[in-house]
Amino acid sequence: MSLFNSKKKWERDYGPYLILVLIWGLFCVFGLRLWYLQIYKGEFFAQKAKDNRLRKQSIYAPRGLIMDRKGKLLAINEPSYSLAIVREDCPEIDKTLLQVSKWTGVPFDELKANFERGRRRVKSFEPQIIIPNLSFEVLAKIEAYAPRWPGLKIMVRPRRKYLQGPVFAHVLGYVAQASEEELNKDSELALGDNIGKQGLEYVLEKRLRGKKGLKRMEVDAVGRSLHEEVLRPPQPGEDIHLSLDLELQKKVYELMEGRAGAVVVMEPDSGQILSLVSSPSYDNNKFVQGVSIEDWRKLIKNPLHPLQNRCIQSVYPPGSVFKLVVAACGLFEKKIDLEEKIYCSGAYRLGRRVFRCWKKHGHGRVDFTRSLVESCDVYYYKLGEELGVDRISSFAKKCGFGQLTGIDLPHEKRGLIPDRNWKLKRFKEPWQGGETLNMSIGQGYTLVTPLQVARFVSALVNGGKLYKPSLLSEESRAKAKALPFADDIRQKIIRAMIRTVEADHGTARGLRKDGIIIGAKTGTAQVVKLLSEYEEKEIEEIPYRFRDHAWMASFAKKGDRSYVVVAMVEHGGHGGSAAGPIVRAIFDFIFEQ
């Protein structure tokens, strides 16, 4: 039998079976695939098809409004427009991102990187925001061409707007896009969400944010909405009423324009703050929209540091304002005889060192009241030497210095009330007697914030209660500590402060105002020891960085109304001449209202 005949026989005998096996094989393959798609993965694909047609989307909740004590709006919400991409509807993502780059001017690489970073947080059927806060010019351009680019979607979201901008920036702070770290920490946040980053926006984030709602949309094959159903309505954030007064805040801001410093206006009987101004300030609206690199560089390179809240984040030597504390300590420790007079020649010797009074030729014979009224340094050098650093330091801390006040703002500084242990730990050196003398007039290592001074003066006025300073109108007044001295001592200090305004030689006599009881203490805090060449110069002739800080700590009463105003002007010179006119103008404004 030839080979040819053998092959034909094999085909005749086994060919039909082979074809049959192939048909069954194909049938099994298709059957298995059908089982895989319809049964094993059926639920998955059914859900995917459903998701493709019925999509769920978050409804953004408006952030709570912020108002002043009279209900005037300070922070509101306005609609903003963002560009999002839906991956499932976008067949050519790179080509689409390139077009978006041309419309918006955002580099393609940056867009692509942001897209890749964010895509793991967003399902393929959900809109992923790629450009937040579109300008109207860019929005109009995209609206005109977007229908040609499947997958692109314009999203409307509420955006924060601060109606007074820099006037309240250090109190309200601002919101900005949540960072990667913040997104990881908070499961309620989604890509592109704004959250509080500074000020009350940061501290009250949970109350202000609200809760997102949810809606279901039926879409067509290219993702266009055919029908929408709200599954869960959004819950707006809580509205917040502040203790601040809008008109007063604007007035204080205007008075501080062109100066670096801080002003605190407080109601002593409640601890509520009526005005809190740090100067210079910044426009917090720029952070909501995404601050530009150029604006950011201007802010951080500004030598006056406008982002810093000087009321609570800057610490200064208090100068003679601290004599109020040392005086109270002297009375408490019975180191002061009210009738005793000390001779001030303009200098006080301790060992081989001579400590000068601010009045070159001295005050002559000085008693307790005159020591505060005319702010005699020699009186407090002697008192400080008798008290010693341990008593002064402990007493000052009980008066609220060197500690946080607890105000509802982030990054508050404690200041510094030094003692022997602190210096040994900090400099590995023992405390020196001359340092106690410097401390007794508010110089040396002692550092305070303007808010701490306002809190202490309020306690002097309100009967001795150290309230937690409050920016919220509903804050309880229960959290008060007591000053560490009796009421008769407090009254002696108050009377001396009033004489500082009413006496002819009082250092705060510029505050005098008919029909109003005003008390005050001036402070001139030396920044550096002046070179001899500047000692006889006028303040304007001294380089700015060498000029003293100017303080004025004051209170005013008329009828049942009482206020505490503390002003600190950086490198302003003398307290009476630099900070005094600001305080005077504030009292004029308050009592004319």
Side-chain angles (χ1 to χ4, degrees):
M1 185 181 293
S2 69
L3 281 172
F4 179 75
N5 289 334
S6 172
K7 184 178 178 182
K8 287 193 72 171
K9 183 177 183 304
W10 188 90
E11 287 177 354
R12 186 176 61 246
D13 293 343
Y14 298 106
Y17 295 108
L18 183 61
I19 291 170
L20 195 60
V21 168
L22 286 173
I23 290 172
W24 271 105
L26 285 172
F27 179 78
C28 288
V29 168
F30 284 120
L32 281 171
R33 183 63 180 165
L34 189 63
W35 171 84
Y36 175 79
L37 294 175
Q38 291 292 325
I39 299 175
Y40 185 74
K41 298 287 286 186
E43 191 174 339
F44 169 77
F45 287 113
Q47 184 61 44
K48 198 168 182 180
K50 190 177 176 183
D51 287 344
N52 196 18
R53 184 177 63 84
L54 297 173
R55 298 179 182 179
K56 290 180 181 175
Q57 189 174 311
S58 294
I59 308 173
Y60 291 94
R63 209 168 168 82
L65 304 175
I66 302 179
M67 290 162 268
D68 84 336
R69 65 190 294 116
K70 296 173 183 168
K72 295 177 182 173
L73 288 168
L74 306 177
I76 61 171
N77 303 296
E78 61 179 6
S80 76
Y81 302 92
S82 304
L83 183 62
I85 192 167
V86 180
R87 298 198 303 274
E88 193 66 21
D89 299 335
C90 185
E92 297 178 283
I93 285 177
D94 281 357
K95 191 175 176 183
T96 304
L97 291 178
L98 190 61
Q99 183 59 49
V100 172
S101 172
K102 290 177 183 173
W103 284 330
T104 60
V106 179
F108 171 78
D109 291 343
E110 186 180 326
L111 270 178
K112 180 72 175 175
N114 288 339
F115 170 78
E116 292 298 337
R117 196 161 44 243
R119 65 181 299 167
R120 64 187 173 83
R121 296 183 176 278
V122 181
K123 294 176 182 174
S124 61
F125 294 108
E126 296 175 346
Q128 176 186 341
I129 291 174
I130 50 175
I131 303 282
N133 299 314
L134 292 170
S135 67
F136 281 104
E137 293 77 16
V138 175
L139 174 67
K141 198 185 301 181
I142 295 176
E143 282 276 27
Y145 294 101
R148 302 181 196 172
W149 295 89
L152 287 183
K153 189 175 179 63
I154 301 292
M155 305 283 293
V156 183
R157 301 188 298 164
R159 180 176 63 188
R160 206 49 146 174
K161 182 173 184 179
Y162 303 106
L163 297 175
Q164 301 298 328
V167 180
F168 282 87
H170 285 112
V171 176
L172 301 184
Y174 55 83
V175 297
Q177 271 200 56
S179 66
E180 190 78 14
E181 184 182 359
E182 289 160 340
L183 290 170
N184 289 334
K185 283 181 180 174
D186 193 333
S187 60
E188 292 182 5
L189 291 176
L191 195 68
D193 281 357
N194 278 352
I195 62 167
K197 297 277 189 174
Q198 278 294 342
L200 288 173
E201 292 279 22
Y202 171 78
V203 174
L204 304 178
E205 169 65 20
K206 294 292 183 188
R207 293 172 63 180
L208 286 166
R209 186 193 297 175
K211 290 189 179 296
K212 290 177 188 169
L214 190 67
K215 66 181 178 183
R216 182 165 55 202
M217 298 188 306
E218 186 176 357
V219 298
D220 63 12
V222 292
R224 288 177 299 195
S225 176
L226 302 174
H227 174 71
E228 291 186 4
E229 179 187 6
V230 175
L231 301 177
R232 187 180 67 241
Q235 295 178 21
E238 182 184 345
D239 293 343
I240 302 291
H241 291 259
L242 303 186
S243 60
L244 299 177
D245 183 293
L246 168 61
E247 298 305 324
L248 178 61
Q249 181 84 357
K250 285 164 70 175
K251 177 66 180 178
V252 176
Y253 181 81
E254 176 189 317
L255 290 167
M256 288 299 290
E257 270 196 310
R259 297 180 172 92
V263 174
V264 180
V265 182
M266 183 181 279
E267 273 185 351
D269 294 330
S270 65
Q272 290 199 338
I273 296 173
L274 302 180
S275 176
L276 192 82
V277 169
S278 174
S279 180
S281 188
Y282 62 96
D283 186 357
N284 44 359
N285 286 300
K286 289 186 176 179
F287 286 85
V288 180
Q289 299 168 17
V291 65
S292 67
I293 293 173
E294 185 184 352
D295 285 339
W296 177 248
R297 281 180 181 155
K298 281 182 186 173
L299 284 170
I300 59 174
K301 288 186 177 179
N302 187 328
L304 296 180
H305 307 292
L307 293 175
Q308 187 154 329
N309 185 345
R310 287 170 160 79
C311 299
I312 62 165
Q313 295 172 347
S314 296
V315 291
Y316 306 91
S320 294
V321 169
F322 198 66
K323 289 172 183 169
L324 297 172
V325 179
V326 179
C329 183
L331 290 167
F332 179 76
E333 296 289 348
K334 301 189 187 309
K335 297 291 183 184
I336 292 176
D337 178 347
L338 295 178
E339 304 302 322
E340 183 185 5
K341 292 185 177 178
I342 291 169
Y343 185 73
C344 169
S345 64
Y348 186 82
R349 180 174 290 278
L350 179 70
R352 287 182 294 178
R353 285 191 63 188
V354 175
F355 292 79
R356 302 281 176 190
C357 183
W358 69 267
K359 194 171 184 180
K360 190 174 181 181
H361 301 294
H363 290 87
R365 295 175 64 76
V366 178
D367 63 8
F368 168 74
T369 301
R370 194 176 168 209
S371 75
L372 282 176
V373 170
E374 298 184 28
S375 202
C376 174
D377 289 340
V378 167
Y379 189 95
Y380 287 90
Y381 289 147
K382 185 174 185 305
L383 179 59
E385 189 181 6
E386 289 181 18
L387 288 168
V389 61
D390 296 330
R391 286 196 182 107
I392 298 174
S393 178
S394 172
F395 194 84
K397 288 173 183 171
K398 290 174 183 172
C399 290
F401 295 99
Q403 301 170 16
L404 301 178
T405 67
I407 189 172
D408 295 316
L409 288 176
H411 315 307
E412 183 186 10
K413 292 281 179 63
R414 292 176 180 276
L416 175 64
I417 299 299
D419 56 28
R420 296 176 195 277
N421 291 335
W422 172 83
K423 192 187 173 193
L424 202 59
K425 191 175 177 183
R426 177 73 176 78
F427 296 109
K428 314 293 183 199
E429 293 175 2
W431 186 266
Q432 302 296 321
E435 290 167 333
T436 306
L437 269 57
N438 276 332
M439 185 179 184
S440 66
I441 62 165
Q443 293 288 167
Y445 302 116
T446 306
L447 297 170
V448 303
T449 66
L451 184 63
Q452 287 173 337
V453 175
R455 185 190 187 209
F456 174 69
V457 175
S458 290
L460 288 176
V461 174
N462 69 20
K465 302 180 191 72
L466 280 167
Y467 284 120
K468 172 194 167 191
S470 173
L471 291 163
L472 306 179
S473 63
E474 82 269 13
E475 194 92 62
S476 164
R477 291 188 296 171
K479 300 173 185 174
K481 296 178 183 174
L483 284 175
F485 48 89
D487 203 50
D488 63 318
I489 294 175
R490 191 178 60 76
Q491 292 294 345
K492 289 182 177 75
I493 303 285
I494 290 285
R495 283 197 290 272
M497 291 178 74
I498 293 172
R499 289 292 298 159
T500 305
V501 175
E502 294 183 348
D504 290 341
H505 295 289
T507 54
R509 58 188 177 278
L511 297 186
R512 208 176 299 162
K513 193 174 175 65
D514 290 340
I516 300 172
I517 299 170
I518 299 177
K521 182 73 197 81
T522 54
T524 302
Q526 197 176 47
V527 179
V528 293
K529 184 173 174 54
L530 270 185
L531 299 173
S532 57
E533 61 186 292
Y534 296 124
E535 284 183 353
E536 302 297 329
K537 299 279 187 184
E538 294 295 324
I539 188 71
E540 295 79 12
E541 297 174 305
I542 301 172
Y544 179 77
R545 67 183 187 281
F546 294 157
R547 299 176 192 171
D548 298 334
H549 295 325
W551 283 92
M552 178 71 83
S554 65
F555 65 85
K557 287 184 175 182
K558 184 180 181 183
D560 59 352
R561 301 168 68 192
S562 59
Y563 304 94
V564 163
V565 177
V566 170
M568 199 290 305
V569 181
E570 280 185 15
H571 307 291
H574 301 293
S577 58
I582 294 170
V583 173
R584 169 69 192 238
I586 293 170
F587 283 142
D588 287 347
F589 182 83
I590 288 175
F591 288 108
E592 283 169 8
Q593 277 193 322

